[in-house]
Each structure stands twice: as C-alpha cells, then as structure tokens.
Amino acid sequence: MLSLQPDTLQAVAFASPSRSSALHSAIDRAVAALTDRQQPDGHFVFDLEADAAIPAEYILLKHYLGERDPVREQQGAAYLRRTQEDHGGWPMLARGRLNLSASVKAYLALKAVGDSPDAPHMVRARAAILAAGGAAHVNMFTRITLALFGLVPWRAVPVMPVELMHAPRWFPVHLYRMSYWARTTLAPLLVLMALKPQARNPERVTIDELFPVPPFAIRHWPKGANQRGLWGHLFGGLDRLLRAAEPLFPKATRRSAIDKAVSFIRERLNGDSGLGAIFPPMAFTVMMFDALGWPADHPEVATARRALELLVTGSDAEAFCQPCVSPVWDTALSAHGLMEAVSPDDGRARAGLDWLAARQVLDVAGDWAVQRPGLRPGGWGFQYSNPHYPDLDDTAVIVMAMDRARGQDGDTRYDNTIARAAEWIIGMQSRNGGWGAYDADNTATYLNAIPFADHGALLDPPTSDLTARCISMLAQLGHRPATSAPLRRGLAFLMREQHPEGSWFGRWGVNYIYGTWSVLCALNAAGLEPSDPAIARAIAWLERIQNSDGGWGEDDAGYELDYKAYQPSPSTASQTAWALLGLMAAGGVDSPAVARGTAYLVAQQCSDGFWPEERFTGVGFPRVFYLRYDGYPKFFPLWALARYRNLKHGNAASVMLGM
C-alpha cells in the first residue's frame, strides 16, 4: 500500500482547471477505447509483433513443406516490403539498425514468393546485406534454416547430437539446464539436425548472391561472440570432436534418442496453442513430423499445423505471423488499468479476472517441477494455453489484480486462486533470492558458450524485474521484511542488482526504465520510504534521463554485452508511463518531472483514445529478439494518468503501488 507523504495528496491535478479537465477527458477516452476492445467473454488480446525474421520464417516454412499459399504469402510479402528500412535491410526494432539474420531471411522469403532480385527493394536489401559482411555472418538459427534449404553446407552449423536426449540429469549439457524456450525449441531441432532433411523449395530459390564467395567454398564459418573465453574454447573443441565422431554413433542409439525427443514433444503439444505456445518450437515440430514421414492428416500433425495458422494476424492486404499471443498478460494489465481508472470493483475488470481465474494451471506439474519436485502448481501461462510452462510474471500481476478486486467489498471469490498462486511463487524463488520467469535456479551460465547458442539466450536466470513483481505481490498480500524470509531474500537480491547510477536492469521490457519502474513499485509495496538511498538514487536517475518533450524513451543498445547503461531514444507512451508509475511509487507525484510526463501523455493521445507507438519496447531475448506489444500504448498510459489523478485528488486509499 502507499508509503507516500501526506502532503503529496493535497495538490490539484495539473496547474489549472483546464489542464485538469484535459486529464479527466484523456482518461475517459482511453477507458472507452480500451473497453471497446474487450472480448465478449471478458478477456483482452492485442497483436504481438517481432522483427521480420518470424514472418519470413512462416513463408519459408510453407516452401519447406512445398505447400504454397499464394494469397497468404503475398500478404506476408507486403508486410516484409513495408517494414524494410531506409538502410535497405530489416532491423530487430522498428527504425533500428540493420539486423543481418532478419535481413537474409526476409530477402530469401521475398525471393521465394517471386520478387525479382532486380527489383529496387531487393537490390537495396542485397547491397545492405553484403555491406554488413554477407550471409556467412548470420546467426546460428538462420544458418540452420539455410542448411535445411540446401543453401549452405551442414558444416556451417555446430553439432548438436540428438543423443543429448539420453543425457543423465547430472550431465553439464542437459535440456533441463536450459530455459523453457530453448528446451522446447531444441527438442524438435535435434531431430531435424540428426535427419538433415531437405526443403521442397518448389521455386528452387538460391541466395548465392548474398555471399562474397560461394557458400559451399567456405571451410571455416565465422564463430559467434559467445565462443570467446575459456568456456568458448572448450565447447569449440568439443564441437570439432563431435563432428568427427558423429558418423560413428550407433544407429540404434540415434533411433531411440529420436523416439525420446518425439515423446517429449508429444507430451507437450498443447493443442491449438502449440508446443511451448511460441513460434520457433511450433514450426520446428511441424518440420520434424514431416521429416519423420508423418502424414499431414495425422491428428497431432494437423493440430500442430493449425496452431501455427492461429498466430497469423492482419488484413486482406497485409499479414504477419506473431511469435506468440499474449491474452493472459493483456487481460491482467488491462484489468489493472481499468481498476485504476474506474474503480477496483469495475465490472469490466472483474469479467477479465473471472476469465483468468478459469485458466489457472492447477493440475499439471510442468518442467519447472524438475527443480521444485513436490511443489503444487498454481500459475498462469502467457498464452491461451501453456500448462507445462506457466509464467511467474503473469501470475504475480494477476494475483495483485485479484487481490485488489476482492479488497473493496470482502469478496472471497478469488481467495483460493490467490493462495495457490502465492504458494507456487514462493516455492519458485531461486537460491540467490531472485525469481526467473519460468524456472528456478536456471543459472548454468556456461551453456551460453555453446557454439549453437550464439544468441546467448539459453537461460532464464533471476532478474530484477521478475523479482520486483514477485516482491510486490507478496507485500500486497501482507508479507513484511521483518517476518517474511522470501521477501527479505528478494529485497537483498534487488539491492545487489542496482547499478551505480540508480537504475535496475529490465529483462522483459526496454530496459532500465522498465526495470527501475518495477523495482520502485516493489520497494514501495515492501514499506521502504522515498528517502531510502536506493530509492533516492533511482528517482534522481529517472528525472535526469527525462526527454525535453516531457516523455521518456530508451534504446535497445543498453543491452550490449559490454555494459552501457541507459541509451537515450525518442519518447514512447509505454516507457513514459513506466517512468511515471515508478516516480509516483517513490512518492514523486508532485515533482515537476511527473507533471511534465503526464502533460506529454495527454498531448500525445490520439483521437481514437489510444497512443501511437511505432518503436518496440518489449523484449524476447536481449540483443536478439524484441517485441512490440500492441496493448502497451493502450493500457499503460491510461494506468499512469489515472494514478496521477487519483493521487492528486486524494483517492490514495484505493491505490496500490505494488505496480
């Protein structure tokens, strides 16, 4: 609950009645616009957009299978042409720097659907790719795609033997030492790398023109940045040994390892939501079934293919494949925004929470149970269904919303739901006091030195933003540092993670603004005063990085391996909202920075009640994969403006600043 000073609740919103009226009007328009997007059953779901790689991979999957869909592939091609940047290539984030791997995949996909290499956009793309070093320098997943199409030799790809499926739990390289997304992606990919199938590629497309020398003439492919250092050299040597030994592996052992991988996948197919409910493992699963000779009308194959089609969104003119869908996250955050803007017992928010309550995972001990055997399940997935991989972030946010809803009138409908979720979150705390997103103690950092893992994203370690969310939930439920060991350990983790300038790293949102907002809310909920040195440093940092237009923005360059701290960028609606929520949680509702930030949001609101946001502010994997949540500029600015109004008008009793 609030730890704000009493005198911060006395001022009038903005400096004049007209500005106060503008604030109220902005909130009302945003509420109307948001609720207009609510689904009949109460939930919310907005588009989730990644870079060009996944829309290109969707097109290439169809060509791999030899099942061209002229209408759908032209819709996807229109999207790729539109998202090509002025530099000629495709970035990881809108208006960002060229990303070589995404650009090569986009070029290949456009060529596959019939775009002439002599077309102006293809000429520009080719020139940009060659200027960046050419297709020999793409990442490992792109090399695998090219190898499956016969466009590069398999020696371009590190060895990952499917026999890894037989590894004992103590073995240093094991699926359960990896993150959930790596685990589900690697299982079908191991089968593909063992069988080395060839894409149908009906148009016989090649991309030799993207290589400075013919790809099959390259003997030594570039190594990733992860292959430096002791672990990199060790795994590099192991890769060379495996390459020589792999042809000698017993065929029976390989066959049984493939069978074990298939069994792992079938247990987790997850119906219409797909394996892991994310695109890469879903696509590799379809390719694996095809390589194994399973017919398209086999029930499990048909389900896997249908799950992929459900990721495609857009219009008749243009469409793209989403990396996944986000209905649970969107619904939970929309409910928070509505409860802040209207009231904690708002019927529209309650409808969303009731929809969520029915989706709590209570009967599946997922992969997380390998590290936490005996712990009862109680979390939520991020997508419509993902029972093997519930998400602690979603779970904590949902619990805070449900607790807020029940706190107004003694409603007990969510009591058991909240209790089970809190039990699960407490049980998932890692040994260092922090929390990760899907697993506990997923900290085998040496695995990121495997040649295959040049993306550096094999792990799901505890992070500040996730830890802050779990602390906020526990504090809102009544935990206090003096009596709660999980809370004390979590707070100690956060204090160790603060950077000297005052910020915290944000793993799942760009970046230090996201992390600092999350932690400031947690520290407030746990009862720390704004005068606490850690909070004071964070306040000063947030105020110092505010843009001249009153908003906040941050570039992804802060994720570079060599620590660069915050990197400035033009203001966005979501990052501005995070900064405002963080400052208000730290007692700064009356600060000039907060006044300028709220004025920025009011001025930027569009006529439809929402906010524009072209830039990506969500994160899949730092340095590799970023996200644009279509819902972020819809509910976060509403949330921030409504909180400002509530605090300014003395409605603090209804405000919970755990988020």
Side-chain angles (χ1 to χ4, degrees), residues 295-616:
D297 60 357
H298 185 287
E300 291 180 348
V301 177
T303 298
R305 292 188 176 206
R306 185 167 61 250
L308 275 171
E309 298 305 320
L310 292 174
L311 292 178
V312 179
T313 186
S315 65
D316 290 341
E318 178 183 299
F320 66 92
C321 185
Q322 302 173 95
C324 65
V325 292
S326 54
V328 170
W329 188 238
D330 291 339
T331 301
L333 294 172
S334 295
H336 273 284
L338 289 171
M339 287 192 287
E340 191 79 44
V342 184
S343 74
D345 61 355
D346 177 71
R348 293 159 293 189
R350 289 290 186 104
L353 296 179
D354 289 344
W355 182 87
L356 288 168
R359 279 156 181 80
Q360 187 179 26
V361 180
L362 299 172
D363 57 351
V364 177
D367 288 4
W368 53 266
V370 171
Q371 285 287 353
R372 293 294 184 269
L375 179 63
R376 294 197 301 172
W380 279 265
F382 181 78
Q383 304 89 348
Y384 283 107
S385 175
N386 202 4
H388 279 84
Y389 305 106
D391 176 359
L392 280 88
D393 210 358
D394 286 80
T395 301
V397 170
I398 291 167
V399 167
M400 285 188 277
M402 289 181 170
D403 178 68
R404 187 174 185 181
R406 72 175 177 173
Q408 299 304 302
D409 54 11
D411 188 353
T412 62
R413 79 174 84 178
Y414 302 128
D415 285 6
N416 291 334
T417 301
I418 289 171
R420 280 291 293 273
E423 175 187 334
W424 183 68
I425 282 184
I426 291 171
M428 290 294 289
Q429 188 172 26
S430 291
R431 287 189 292 268
N432 64 6
W435 279 269
Y438 299 93
D439 282 291
D441 296 315
N442 196 253
T443 54
T445 54
Y446 60 85
L447 287 175
N448 281 328
I450 295 174
F452 169 80
D454 64 344
H455 47 66
L458 273 188
L459 303 175
D460 178 19
T463 59
S464 296
D465 46 350
L466 257 296
T467 301
R469 210 84 71 219
C470 295
I471 287 175
S472 291
M473 183 209 75
L474 293 175
Q476 187 172 312
L477 295 179
H479 288 243
R480 290 295 176 265
T483 56
S484 173
L487 194 67
R488 284 197 305 274
R489 294 173 56 228
L491 288 171
F493 175 88
L494 291 180
M495 293 305 178
R496 293 194 303 270
E497 290 292 305
Q498 188 176 26
H499 291 290
E501 76 280 359
S503 72
W504 279 271
F505 177 80
R507 163 64 179 82
W508 296 97
V510 181
N511 169 350
Y512 297 100
I513 295 174
Y514 185 88
T516 303
W517 153 60
S518 303
V519 175
L520 285 175
C521 289
L523 298 183
N524 174 80
L528 277 70
E529 295 294 328
S531 58
D532 183 274
I535 295 178
R537 286 198 303 274
I539 293 170
W541 175 79
L542 277 173
E543 291 179 343
R544 188 166 62 250
I545 66 166
Q546 187 174 22
N547 287 335
S548 59
D549 61 7
W552 279 264
E554 183 172 355
D555 188 79
D556 69 298
Y559 283 114
E560 294 298 327
L561 288 174
D562 297 328
Y563 173 64
K564 291 186 176 181
Y566 161 83
Q567 298 294 302
S569 185
S571 299
T572 69
S574 58
Q575 289 168 323
T576 298
W578 299 336
L580 288 172
L581 290 167
L583 287 171
M584 287 187 283
V589 68
D590 286 327
S591 74
V594 169
R596 290 198 302 272
T598 53
Y600 168 84
L601 287 180
V602 170
Q604 292 295 313
Q605 189 179 30
C606 298
S607 59
D608 64 0
F610 294 136
W611 281 262
E613 188 157 286
E614 183 182 25
R615 294 177 181 271
F616 289 34

Side-chain angles (χ1 to χ4, degrees), residues 224-246:
N226 63 321
Q227 290 178 260
R228 301 166 185 165
L230 176 61
W231 281 113
H233 289 300
L234 287 173
F235 280 120
L238 179 61
D239 180 71
R240 289 189 290 275
L241 288 173
L242 285 171
R243 193 174 300 279
E246 190 179 26

Side-chain angles (χ1 to χ4, degrees), residues 65-135:
L65 297 170
E67 299 173 359
R68 296 191 61 179
D69 180 341
V71 173
R72 180 59 60 81
E73 70 180 28
Q74 285 304 322
Q75 291 169 338
Y79 171 85
L80 292 175
R81 296 184 200 107
R82 179 180 61 79
T83 55
Q84 186 179 16
E85 295 286 356
D86 292 341
H87 50 57
W90 286 262
M92 286 187 289
L93 305 92
R95 299 291 175 259
R97 301 173 296 278
L98 176 140
N99 179 262
L100 187 59
S101 296
S103 298
V104 169
K105 285 181 178 176
Y107 181 96
L108 175 59
L110 288 174
K111 194 173 179 183
V113 304
D115 284 18
S116 169
D118 297 324
H121 67 286
M122 297 291 278
V123 172
R124 289 194 300 115
R126 184 164 62 253
I129 290 167
L130 290 171

